[in-house]
Amino acid sequence: MKSFWKSYLTGLQLHVTIAKYTKVPITWIDDDYTPDVNKLYYIQEGEGYIKVGNRKYYPKPGDLCLLPADVVQSYGTLNSNTFGKYWCHFTAKLDNFNLFHVLETPTITTVSDHPALKDKFDQLIHYHESDEWTAELHVQATFLEILAMYLEQAGQVQINTPATSSFEKMNVLFTYIEEHLAENITVNTLAQLVHFHPNYFIRMFKNATGLSPIQYVNRKRMDKARQLLSFTSLSVSAVAESLGMDATYFSRLFKEYTALSPSEYRDISNGNS
């Protein structure tokens, strides 16, 4: 499952709709509403409450709170010492499913490195408000780091894979690719595994992973090549052969992915440069 999710999360479709820091007013209150976006609160000061479903929480400074979309929620103040919080609204889709319907995570978690998380939120707000043409790239990159920090420290995460979705089909495909990297993997072969027409299969695969099937296979081969170059003494030719590739083509493709030749990569990974 770890390998499956590592592959599947490459297809995460993410969009941050707003990012701010707010010292909320005493009138900050709403009851039993259902947002169509996910919300992330990083509490810095003050008191208040949030309610997700039937459970009420009283977050403390330092708590990171995830309120998923399409779930009944409430929030409010307790007194004049109101929340000061970083917050953002965002969508996160995997194959048209809300990520937090597929992954069941705690509503509240506390991260270990508060200065780092605060810095990330400051960056997120800066880039979200920036008019630089690269700002959206920075927003995506920064929020992905925040999201990774949340998931890594959220403790127990339960996976609710919809049995009728393409999750099962993608699991079949990812497993097959991992086990047959040294073979000639064709689009037709992969499409037949999940009983799709090749043209439809290519669209489905790219929607799920963000890559074409061949791009994905080559990326997995290059990931494997980096491991072999870093942790074994196999020659470059032997690494290429283990991946079912001609040595010349392998070297050219490796350099496209890493900007280094296989030998240069090995030297750097072994501390020889």
Tab-separated table of all heavy atoms in Angstrom, residues 14-74:
chain	number	residue	atom	x	y	z
A	14	LEU	N	-4.377	19.852	-6.832
A	14	LEU	CA	-4.453	20.738	-5.678
A	14	LEU	C	-4.699	22.171	-6.113
A	14	LEU	O	-4.125	22.637	-7.088
A	14	LEU	CB	-3.129	20.655	-4.906
A	14	LEU	CG	-3.008	21.419	-3.598
A	14	LEU	CD1	-3.834	20.741	-2.524
A	14	LEU	CD2	-1.543	21.482	-3.177
A	15	HIS	N	-5.569	22.862	-5.367
A	15	HIS	CA	-5.784	24.291	-5.647
A	15	HIS	C	-6.078	25.014	-4.342
A	15	HIS	O	-7.006	24.654	-3.607
A	15	HIS	CB	-6.945	24.494	-6.610
A	15	HIS	CG	-7.225	25.936	-6.900
A	15	HIS	ND1	-6.293	26.771	-7.487
A	15	HIS	CD2	-8.330	26.711	-6.661
A	15	HIS	CE1	-6.797	27.984	-7.612
A	15	HIS	NE2	-8.022	27.974	-7.115
A	16	VAL	N	-5.273	26.022	-4.027
A	16	VAL	CA	-5.472	26.851	-2.843
A	16	VAL	C	-6.313	28.058	-3.248
A	16	VAL	O	-5.913	28.833	-4.113
A	16	VAL	CB	-4.127	27.311	-2.246
A	16	VAL	CG1	-4.356	28.237	-1.061
A	16	VAL	CG2	-3.288	26.106	-1.823
A	17	THR	N	-7.476	28.200	-2.634
A	17	THR	CA	-8.374	29.292	-3.025
A	17	THR	C	-8.152	30.556	-2.208
A	17	THR	O	-8.405	31.664	-2.684
A	17	THR	CB	-9.850	28.858	-2.895
A	17	THR	OG1	-10.100	28.439	-1.539
A	17	THR	CG2	-10.152	27.707	-3.844
A	18	ILE	N	-7.690	30.413	-0.956
A	18	ILE	CA	-7.400	31.585	-0.129
A	18	ILE	C	-6.422	31.184	0.964
A	18	ILE	O	-6.434	30.043	1.442
A	18	ILE	CB	-8.699	32.175	0.476
A	18	ILE	CG1	-8.421	33.532	1.122
A	18	ILE	CG2	-9.340	31.199	1.452
A	18	ILE	CD1	-9.677	34.299	1.500
A	19	ALA	N	-5.544	32.125	1.349
A	19	ALA	CA	-4.589	31.896	2.444
A	19	ALA	C	-4.402	33.217	3.178
A	19	ALA	O	-4.097	34.240	2.567
A	19	ALA	CB	-3.266	31.389	1.899
A	20	LYS	N	-4.583	33.219	4.513
A	20	LYS	CA	-4.552	34.449	5.298
A	20	LYS	C	-4.055	34.167	6.720
A	20	LYS	O	-4.006	33.026	7.166
A	20	LYS	CB	-5.969	35.052	5.411
A	20	LYS	CG	-6.596	35.514	4.109
A	20	LYS	CD	-6.045	36.858	3.666
A	20	LYS	CE	-6.806	37.402	2.464
A	20	LYS	NZ	-6.231	38.695	2.013
A	21	TYR	N	-3.723	35.259	7.419
A	21	TYR	CA	-3.611	35.219	8.874
A	21	TYR	C	-4.669	36.167	9.416
A	21	TYR	O	-4.795	37.313	8.954
A	21	TYR	CB	-2.232	35.665	9.380
A	21	TYR	CG	-2.157	35.596	10.893
A	21	TYR	CD1	-1.763	34.431	11.521
A	21	TYR	CD2	-2.541	36.685	11.681
A	21	TYR	CE1	-1.730	34.339	12.906
A	21	TYR	CE2	-2.513	36.605	13.069
A	21	TYR	CZ	-2.106	35.425	13.676
A	21	TYR	OH	-2.091	35.327	15.045
A	22	THR	N	-5.453	35.715	10.407
A	22	THR	CA	-6.551	36.528	10.941
A	22	THR	C	-6.617	36.411	12.455
A	22	THR	O	-6.507	35.312	13.005
A	22	THR	CB	-7.908	36.056	10.356
A	22	THR	OG1	-7.872	36.151	8.935
A	22	THR	CG2	-9.044	36.907	10.891
A	23	LYS	N	-6.795	37.530	13.109
A	23	LYS	CA	-7.212	37.570	14.507
A	23	LYS	C	-8.724	37.711	14.453
A	23	LYS	O	-9.254	38.777	14.114
A	23	LYS	CB	-6.569	38.748	15.229
A	23	LYS	CG	-7.021	38.932	16.670
A	23	LYS	CD	-6.540	37.817	17.590
A	23	LYS	CE	-6.834	38.172	19.054
A	23	LYS	NZ	-6.497	37.052	19.971
A	24	VAL	N	-9.448	36.625	14.736
A	24	VAL	CA	-10.879	36.613	14.447
A	24	VAL	C	-11.635	37.512	15.410
A	24	VAL	O	-11.254	37.650	16.583
A	24	VAL	CB	-11.456	35.178	14.479
A	24	VAL	CG1	-10.695	34.275	13.537
A	24	VAL	CG2	-11.459	34.606	15.887
A	25	PRO	N	-12.722	38.128	14.975
A	25	PRO	CA	-13.541	38.968	15.863
A	25	PRO	C	-14.399	38.096	16.776
A	25	PRO	O	-14.584	36.904	16.534
A	25	PRO	CB	-14.397	39.764	14.875
A	25	PRO	CG	-14.535	38.856	13.692
A	25	PRO	CD	-13.209	38.139	13.584
A	26	ILE	N	-14.954	38.711	17.792
A	26	ILE	CA	-15.818	37.997	18.728
A	26	ILE	C	-17.052	37.448	18.026
A	26	ILE	O	-17.690	36.492	18.492
A	26	ILE	CB	-16.233	38.934	19.905
A	26	ILE	CG1	-16.880	38.126	21.042
A	26	ILE	CG2	-17.138	40.044	19.419
A	26	ILE	CD1	-15.936	37.239	21.788
A	27	THR	N	-17.371	38.024	16.868
A	27	THR	CA	-18.555	37.589	16.102
A	27	THR	C	-18.259	36.408	15.183
A	27	THR	O	-19.124	36.012	14.405
A	27	THR	CB	-19.074	38.760	15.253
A	27	THR	OG1	-17.988	39.257	14.442
A	27	THR	CG2	-19.591	39.887	16.136
A	28	TRP	N	-17.034	35.866	15.267
A	28	TRP	CA	-16.655	34.718	14.409
A	28	TRP	C	-17.436	33.489	14.861
A	28	TRP	O	-17.096	32.835	15.835
A	28	TRP	CB	-15.153	34.490	14.522
A	28	TRP	CG	-14.571	33.422	13.646
A	28	TRP	CD1	-14.366	33.477	12.303
A	28	TRP	CD2	-14.069	32.142	14.074
A	28	TRP	NE1	-13.778	32.304	11.851
A	28	TRP	CE2	-13.596	31.474	12.927
A	28	TRP	CE3	-13.991	31.497	15.319
A	28	TRP	CZ2	-13.034	30.192	12.973
A	28	TRP	CZ3	-13.437	30.221	15.379
A	28	TRP	CH2	-12.968	29.576	14.215
A	29	ILE	N	-18.511	33.181	14.161
A	29	ILE	CA	-19.363	32.060	14.550
A	29	ILE	C	-20.218	31.629	13.366
A	29	ILE	O	-20.675	32.460	12.574
A	29	ILE	CB	-20.262	32.434	15.766
A	29	ILE	CG1	-21.011	31.197	16.270
A	29	ILE	CG2	-21.210	33.569	15.432
A	29	ILE	CD1	-21.696	31.410	17.614
A	30	ASP	N	-20.391	30.341	13.223
A	30	ASP	CA	-21.299	29.789	12.218
A	30	ASP	C	-21.666	28.384	12.673
A	30	ASP	O	-20.824	27.657	13.222
A	30	ASP	CB	-20.659	29.755	10.836
A	30	ASP	CG	-21.687	29.720	9.710
A	30	ASP	OD1	-22.877	29.504	10.012
A	30	ASP	OD2	-21.301	29.915	8.548
A	31	ASP	N	-22.906	27.994	12.468
A	31	ASP	CA	-23.386	26.702	12.947
A	31	ASP	C	-23.913	25.851	11.803
A	31	ASP	O	-24.660	26.336	10.934
A	31	ASP	CB	-24.507	26.883	13.979
A	31	ASP	CG	-23.991	27.420	15.303
A	31	ASP	OD1	-22.923	26.965	15.744
A	31	ASP	OD2	-24.654	28.307	15.876
A	32	ASP	N	-23.505	24.602	11.823
A	32	ASP	CA	-24.070	23.554	10.955
A	32	ASP	C	-24.121	23.953	9.484
A	32	ASP	O	-25.173	23.975	8.850
A	32	ASP	CB	-25.479	23.177	11.442
A	32	ASP	CG	-25.448	22.570	12.840
A	32	ASP	OD1	-24.440	21.937	13.187
A	32	ASP	OD2	-26.438	22.735	13.580
A	33	TYR	N	-22.967	24.296	8.962
A	33	TYR	CA	-22.869	24.559	7.531
A	33	TYR	C	-21.958	23.507	6.914
A	33	TYR	O	-21.187	22.833	7.612
A	33	TYR	CB	-22.323	25.961	7.261
A	33	TYR	CG	-20.840	26.103	7.502
A	33	TYR	CD1	-19.946	26.207	6.432
A	33	TYR	CD2	-20.318	26.101	8.796
A	33	TYR	CE1	-18.582	26.309	6.664
A	33	TYR	CE2	-18.968	26.206	9.029
A	33	TYR	CZ	-18.094	26.305	7.956
A	33	TYR	OH	-16.744	26.392	8.184
A	34	THR	N	-22.019	23.350	5.596
A	34	THR	CA	-21.239	22.323	4.904
A	34	THR	C	-20.408	22.982	3.810
A	34	THR	O	-20.938	23.342	2.750
A	34	THR	CB	-22.161	21.258	4.280
A	34	THR	OG1	-23.004	20.720	5.300
A	34	THR	CG2	-21.347	20.122	3.656
A	35	PRO	N	-19.108	23.166	4.047
A	35	PRO	CA	-18.259	23.840	3.045
A	35	PRO	C	-17.958	22.913	1.873
A	35	PRO	O	-17.939	21.685	2.014
A	35	PRO	CB	-16.987	24.159	3.827
A	35	PRO	CG	-16.916	23.084	4.865
A	35	PRO	CD	-18.337	22.785	5.244
A	36	ASP	N	-17.711	23.518	0.716
A	36	ASP	CA	-17.339	22.722	-0.457
A	36	ASP	C	-15.830	22.728	-0.685
A	36	ASP	O	-15.347	22.288	-1.727
A	36	ASP	CB	-18.077	23.209	-1.710
A	36	ASP	CG	-17.794	24.674	-2.026
A	36	ASP	OD1	-17.007	25.307	-1.285
A	36	ASP	OD2	-18.348	25.188	-3.011
A	37	VAL	N	-15.075	23.253	0.299
A	37	VAL	CA	-13.610	23.238	0.249
A	37	VAL	C	-13.087	22.665	1.558
A	37	VAL	O	-13.768	22.685	2.589
A	37	VAL	CB	-13.015	24.649	0.035
A	37	VAL	CG1	-13.342	25.172	-1.352
A	37	VAL	CG2	-13.495	25.603	1.127
A	38	ASN	N	-11.861	22.145	1.529
A	38	ASN	CA	-11.173	21.755	2.755
A	38	ASN	C	-10.603	23.010	3.411
A	38	ASN	O	-10.240	23.974	2.729
A	38	ASN	CB	-10.024	20.791	2.440
A	38	ASN	CG	-10.472	19.599	1.638
A	38	ASN	OD1	-11.256	18.780	2.099
A	38	ASN	ND2	-9.974	19.497	0.404
A	39	LYS	N	-10.492	22.982	4.741
A	39	LYS	CA	-9.950	24.134	5.457
A	39	LYS	C	-8.845	23.662	6.396
A	39	LYS	O	-8.944	22.609	7.018
A	39	LYS	CB	-11.048	24.835	6.260
A	39	LYS	CG	-12.186	25.362	5.397
A	39	LYS	CD	-13.160	26.207	6.190
A	39	LYS	CE	-13.859	25.397	7.252
A	39	LYS	NZ	-14.824	26.204	8.029
A	40	LEU	N	-7.794	24.467	6.468
A	40	LEU	CA	-6.679	24.187	7.361
A	40	LEU	C	-6.488	25.400	8.263
A	40	LEU	O	-6.328	26.518	7.775
A	40	LEU	CB	-5.411	23.915	6.540
A	40	LEU	CG	-4.288	23.091	7.173
A	40	LEU	CD1	-4.772	21.721	7.622
A	40	LEU	CD2	-3.141	22.930	6.177
A	41	TYR	N	-6.537	25.179	9.586
A	41	TYR	CA	-6.292	26.240	10.567
A	41	TYR	C	-5.011	25.914	11.330
A	41	TYR	O	-4.849	24.800	11.830
A	41	TYR	CB	-7.420	26.315	11.602
A	41	TYR	CG	-8.788	26.702	11.107
A	41	TYR	CD1	-9.907	26.498	11.922
A	41	TYR	CD2	-8.991	27.279	9.860
A	41	TYR	CE1	-11.175	26.846	11.499
A	41	TYR	CE2	-10.250	27.626	9.428
A	41	TYR	CZ	-11.353	27.409	10.258
A	41	TYR	OH	-12.608	27.758	9.836
A	42	TYR	N	-4.127	26.885	11.467
A	42	TYR	CA	-2.946	26.729	12.310
A	42	TYR	C	-3.054	27.766	13.417
A	42	TYR	O	-2.823	28.954	13.205
A	42	TYR	CB	-1.673	26.919	11.479
A	42	TYR	CG	-0.385	26.722	12.245
A	42	TYR	CD1	-0.291	25.808	13.294
A	42	TYR	CD2	0.745	27.461	11.922
A	42	TYR	CE1	0.885	25.634	13.996
A	42	TYR	CE2	1.940	27.285	12.616
A	42	TYR	CZ	1.996	26.375	13.656
A	42	TYR	OH	3.168	26.202	14.356
A	43	ILE	N	-3.441	27.328	14.600
A	43	ILE	CA	-3.761	28.225	15.705
A	43	ILE	C	-2.484	28.793	16.318
A	43	ILE	O	-1.572	28.047	16.681
A	43	ILE	CB	-4.580	27.494	16.791
A	43	ILE	CG1	-5.785	26.770	16.179
A	43	ILE	CG2	-5.013	28.469	17.875
A	43	ILE	CD1	-6.769	27.668	15.479
A	44	GLN	N	-2.452	30.135	16.465
A	44	GLN	CA	-1.296	30.806	17.051
A	44	GLN	C	-1.578	31.349	18.454
A	44	GLN	O	-0.667	31.440	19.284
A	44	GLN	CB	-0.854	31.967	16.151
A	44	GLN	CG	-0.423	31.537	14.756
A	44	GLN	CD	0.790	30.626	14.791
A	44	GLN	OE1	1.884	31.036	15.173
A	44	GLN	NE2	0.597	29.365	14.406
A	45	GLU	N	-2.829	31.711	18.712
A	45	GLU	CA	-3.165	32.285	20.011
A	45	GLU	C	-4.665	32.189	20.223
A	45	GLU	O	-5.440	31.926	19.301
A	45	GLU	CB	-2.723	33.756	20.086
A	45	GLU	CG	-3.405	34.646	19.052
A	45	GLU	CD	-3.081	36.120	19.242
A	45	GLU	OE1	-3.160	36.590	20.402
A	45	GLU	OE2	-2.771	36.793	18.242
A	46	GLY	N	-5.083	32.417	21.463
A	46	GLY	CA	-6.493	32.567	21.766
A	46	GLY	C	-7.241	31.265	21.982
A	46	GLY	O	-6.671	30.176	22.040
A	47	GLU	N	-8.572	31.424	22.112
A	47	GLU	CA	-9.456	30.305	22.403
A	47	GLU	C	-10.645	30.321	21.453
A	47	GLU	O	-11.009	31.342	20.894
A	47	GLU	CB	-9.962	30.387	23.844
A	47	GLU	CG	-8.872	30.324	24.907
A	47	GLU	CD	-9.438	30.488	26.296
A	47	GLU	OE1	-10.027	31.569	26.568
A	47	GLU	OE2	-9.304	29.549	27.092
A	48	GLY	N	-11.258	29.170	21.313
A	48	GLY	CA	-12.431	29.026	20.468
A	48	GLY	C	-12.746	27.559	20.314
A	48	GLY	O	-12.169	26.704	20.984
A	49	TYR	N	-13.673	27.273	19.411
A	49	TYR	CA	-14.021	25.870	19.180
A	49	TYR	C	-14.300	25.646	17.702
A	49	TYR	O	-14.598	26.573	16.943
A	49	TYR	CB	-15.239	25.454	20.015
A	49	TYR	CG	-16.546	26.074	19.557
A	49	TYR	CD1	-17.326	25.494	18.555
A	49	TYR	CD2	-17.003	27.265	20.127
A	49	TYR	CE1	-18.510	26.065	18.130
A	49	TYR	CE2	-18.191	27.857	19.710
A	49	TYR	CZ	-18.940	27.240	18.714
A	49	TYR	OH	-20.111	27.827	18.289
A	50	ILE	N	-14.168	24.397	17.312
A	50	ILE	CA	-14.622	23.948	16.003
A	50	ILE	C	-15.401	22.657	16.219
A	50	ILE	O	-15.170	21.932	17.202
A	50	ILE	CB	-13.456	23.706	15.016
A	50	ILE	CG1	-12.460	22.674	15.572
A	50	ILE	CG2	-12.764	25.011	14.658
A	50	ILE	CD1	-11.361	22.299	14.594
A	51	LYS	N	-16.300	22.374	15.331
A	51	LYS	CA	-17.088	21.148	15.406
A	51	LYS	C	-17.121	20.519	14.029
A	51	LYS	O	-17.446	21.193	13.042
A	51	LYS	CB	-18.511	21.455	15.888
A	51	LYS	CG	-19.370	20.215	16.112
A	51	LYS	CD	-20.760	20.618	16.610
A	51	LYS	CE	-21.650	19.396	16.789
A	51	LYS	NZ	-23.031	19.786	17.202
A	52	VAL	N	-16.755	19.268	13.949
A	52	VAL	CA	-16.754	18.534	12.688
A	52	VAL	C	-17.640	17.309	12.872
A	52	VAL	O	-17.360	16.461	13.724
A	52	VAL	CB	-15.333	18.110	12.273
A	52	VAL	CG1	-15.366	17.311	10.969
A	52	VAL	CG2	-14.433	19.329	12.121
A	53	GLY	N	-18.710	17.230	12.091
A	53	GLY	CA	-19.676	16.170	12.323
A	53	GLY	C	-20.323	16.379	13.683
A	53	GLY	O	-20.825	17.463	13.997
A	54	ASN	N	-20.286	15.352	14.506
A	54	ASN	CA	-20.898	15.448	15.836
A	54	ASN	C	-19.889	15.715	16.951
A	54	ASN	O	-20.246	15.691	18.124
A	54	ASN	CB	-21.655	14.144	16.153
A	54	ASN	CG	-22.827	13.919	15.217
A	54	ASN	OD1	-23.546	14.869	14.886
A	54	ASN	ND2	-23.024	12.677	14.785
A	55	ARG	N	-18.620	15.954	16.576
A	55	ARG	CA	-17.584	16.075	17.600
A	55	ARG	C	-17.071	17.512	17.683
A	55	ARG	O	-16.740	18.129	16.676
A	55	ARG	CB	-16.432	15.122	17.291
A	55	ARG	CG	-15.420	15.041	18.421
A	55	ARG	CD	-14.486	13.876	18.254
A	55	ARG	NE	-13.499	13.834	19.329
A	55	ARG	CZ	-12.512	12.954	19.399
A	55	ARG	NH1	-12.387	12.026	18.466
A	55	ARG	NH2	-11.663	12.990	20.407
A	56	LYS	N	-16.986	18.013	18.922
A	56	LYS	CA	-16.544	19.374	19.160
A	56	LYS	C	-15.116	19.374	19.699
A	56	LYS	O	-14.741	18.520	20.494
A	56	LYS	CB	-17.474	20.046	20.181
A	56	LYS	CG	-17.444	21.569	20.183
A	56	LYS	CD	-18.582	22.105	21.048
A	56	LYS	CE	-18.716	23.615	20.930
A	56	LYS	NZ	-19.864	24.123	21.731
A	57	TYR	N	-14.320	20.346	19.228
A	57	TYR	CA	-12.913	20.432	19.608
A	57	TYR	C	-12.605	21.847	20.089
A	57	TYR	O	-13.227	22.824	19.657
A	57	TYR	CB	-12.002	20.118	18.422
A	57	TYR	CG	-12.229	18.785	17.767
A	57	TYR	CD1	-13.188	18.642	16.763
A	57	TYR	CD2	-11.486	17.664	18.127
A	57	TYR	CE1	-13.392	17.413	16.138
A	57	TYR	CE2	-11.684	16.434	17.513
A	57	TYR	CZ	-12.641	16.318	16.523
A	57	TYR	OH	-12.838	15.112	15.915
A	58	TYR	N	-11.590	21.931	20.977
A	58	TYR	CA	-11.135	23.215	21.481
A	58	TYR	C	-9.628	23.328	21.202
A	58	TYR	O	-8.805	23.053	22.071
A	58	TYR	CB	-11.427	23.321	22.972
A	58	TYR	CG	-12.899	23.257	23.295
A	58	TYR	CD1	-13.519	22.031	23.516
A	58	TYR	CD2	-13.668	24.411	23.343
A	58	TYR	CE1	-14.876	21.956	23.793
A	58	TYR	CE2	-15.032	24.359	23.616
A	58	TYR	CZ	-15.627	23.117	23.830
A	58	TYR	OH	-16.978	23.058	24.094
A	59	PRO	N	-9.263	23.715	19.993
A	59	PRO	CA	-7.835	23.747	19.617
A	59	PRO	C	-7.036	24.719	20.482
A	59	PRO	O	-7.546	25.750	20.921
A	59	PRO	CB	-7.867	24.210	18.154
A	59	PRO	CG	-9.266	23.967	17.690
A	59	PRO	CD	-10.127	24.142	18.889
A	60	LYS	N	-5.771	24.372	20.696
A	60	LYS	CA	-4.837	25.189	21.456
A	60	LYS	C	-3.788	25.791	20.519
A	60	LYS	O	-3.565	25.277	19.415
A	60	LYS	CB	-4.149	24.344	22.529
A	60	LYS	CG	-5.093	23.645	23.490
A	60	LYS	CD	-5.896	24.634	24.310
A	60	LYS	CE	-6.790	23.904	25.323
A	60	LYS	NZ	-7.660	24.856	26.058
A	61	PRO	N	-3.116	26.861	20.946
A	61	PRO	CA	-2.016	27.392	20.132
A	61	PRO	C	-0.999	26.291	19.807
A	61	PRO	O	-0.601	25.525	20.684
A	61	PRO	CB	-1.416	28.471	21.029
A	61	PRO	CG	-2.579	28.955	21.843
A	61	PRO	CD	-3.380	27.714	22.124
A	62	GLY	N	-0.633	26.224	18.541
A	62	GLY	CA	0.265	25.166	18.073
A	62	GLY	C	-0.443	24.028	17.385
A	62	GLY	O	0.195	23.192	16.741
A	63	ASP	N	-1.781	23.986	17.499
A	63	ASP	CA	-2.539	22.917	16.851
A	63	ASP	C	-2.784	23.234	15.377
A	63	ASP	O	-3.055	24.382	15.008
A	63	ASP	CB	-3.891	22.712	17.541
A	63	ASP	CG	-3.774	21.994	18.873
A	63	ASP	OD1	-2.704	21.397	19.121
A	63	ASP	OD2	-4.738	22.026	19.656
A	64	LEU	N	-2.697	22.205	14.560
A	64	LEU	CA	-3.017	22.292	13.135
A	64	LEU	C	-4.306	21.510	12.923
A	64	LEU	O	-4.387	20.323	13.269
A	64	LEU	CB	-1.880	21.692	12.309
A	64	LEU	CG	-1.943	21.819	10.788
A	64	LEU	CD1	-1.996	23.281	10.353
A	64	LEU	CD2	-0.734	21.129	10.161
A	65	CYS	N	-5.320	22.167	12.387
A	65	CYS	CA	-6.663	21.582	12.296
A	65	CYS	C	-7.064	21.411	10.836
A	65	CYS	O	-6.960	22.355	10.047
A	65	CYS	CB	-7.686	22.473	12.990
A	65	CYS	SG	-7.201	23.038	14.636
A	66	LEU	N	-7.555	20.226	10.504
A	66	LEU	CA	-8.013	19.934	9.150
A	66	LEU	C	-9.519	19.719	9.182
A	66	LEU	O	-10.014	18.813	9.860
A	66	LEU	CB	-7.288	18.695	8.609
A	66	LEU	CG	-7.440	18.305	7.135
A	66	LEU	CD1	-8.784	17.677	6.824
A	66	LEU	CD2	-7.197	19.480	6.207
A	67	LEU	N	-10.242	20.548	8.462
A	67	LEU	CA	-11.696	20.436	8.376
A	67	LEU	C	-12.053	20.072	6.932
A	67	LEU	O	-11.931	20.910	6.026
A	67	LEU	CB	-12.371	21.755	8.773
A	67	LEU	CG	-12.215	22.188	10.240
A	67	LEU	CD1	-10.842	22.846	10.475
A	67	LEU	CD2	-13.308	23.177	10.632
A	68	PRO	N	-12.455	18.833	6.688
A	68	PRO	CA	-12.659	18.379	5.305
A	68	PRO	C	-13.924	18.947	4.670
A	68	PRO	O	-14.898	19.287	5.361
A	68	PRO	CB	-12.757	16.863	5.457
A	68	PRO	CG	-13.250	16.654	6.842
A	68	PRO	CD	-12.669	17.773	7.669
A	69	ALA	N	-13.900	19.043	3.362
A	69	ALA	CA	-15.060	19.511	2.607
A	69	ALA	C	-16.218	18.517	2.730
A	69	ALA	O	-16.030	17.336	3.040
A	69	ALA	CB	-14.682	19.679	1.136
A	70	ASP	N	-17.437	19.037	2.505
A	70	ASP	CA	-18.647	18.217	2.417
A	70	ASP	C	-18.984	17.497	3.719
A	70	ASP	O	-19.619	16.437	3.704
A	70	ASP	CB	-18.528	17.198	1.269
A	70	ASP	CG	-18.231	17.865	-0.064
A	70	ASP	OD1	-18.842	18.915	-0.345
A	70	ASP	OD2	-17.373	17.352	-0.816
A	71	VAL	N	-18.535	18.066	4.840
A	71	VAL	CA	-18.873	17.544	6.165
A	71	VAL	C	-19.481	18.688	6.969
A	71	VAL	O	-18.962	19.806	6.956
A	71	VAL	CB	-17.627	16.986	6.880
A	71	VAL	CG1	-17.984	16.524	8.292
A	71	VAL	CG2	-17.008	15.847	6.087
A	72	VAL	N	-20.578	18.421	7.689
A	72	VAL	CA	-21.240	19.461	8.480
A	72	VAL	C	-20.303	19.955	9.578
A	72	VAL	O	-19.689	19.159	10.294
A	72	VAL	CB	-22.543	18.926	9.102
A	72	VAL	CG1	-23.184	19.999	9.992
A	72	VAL	CG2	-23.522	18.507	8.017
A	73	GLN	N	-20.188	21.293	9.699
A	73	GLN	CA	-19.231	21.893	10.631
A	73	GLN	C	-19.846	23.101	11.338
A	73	GLN	O	-20.818	23.681	10.869
A	73	GLN	CB	-17.969	22.354	9.877
A	73	GLN	CG	-17.244	21.249	9.153
A	73	GLN	CD	-16.179	21.768	8.203
A	73	GLN	OE1	-15.779	22.926	8.265
A	73	GLN	NE2	-15.705	20.911	7.302
A	74	SER	N	-19.216	23.452	12.459
A	74	SER	CA	-19.539	24.689	13.177
A	74	SER	C	-18.234	25.259	13.720
A	74	SER	O	-17.244	24.542	13.852
A	74	SER	CB	-20.504	24.418	14.345
A	74	SER	OG	-21.690	23.799	13.904
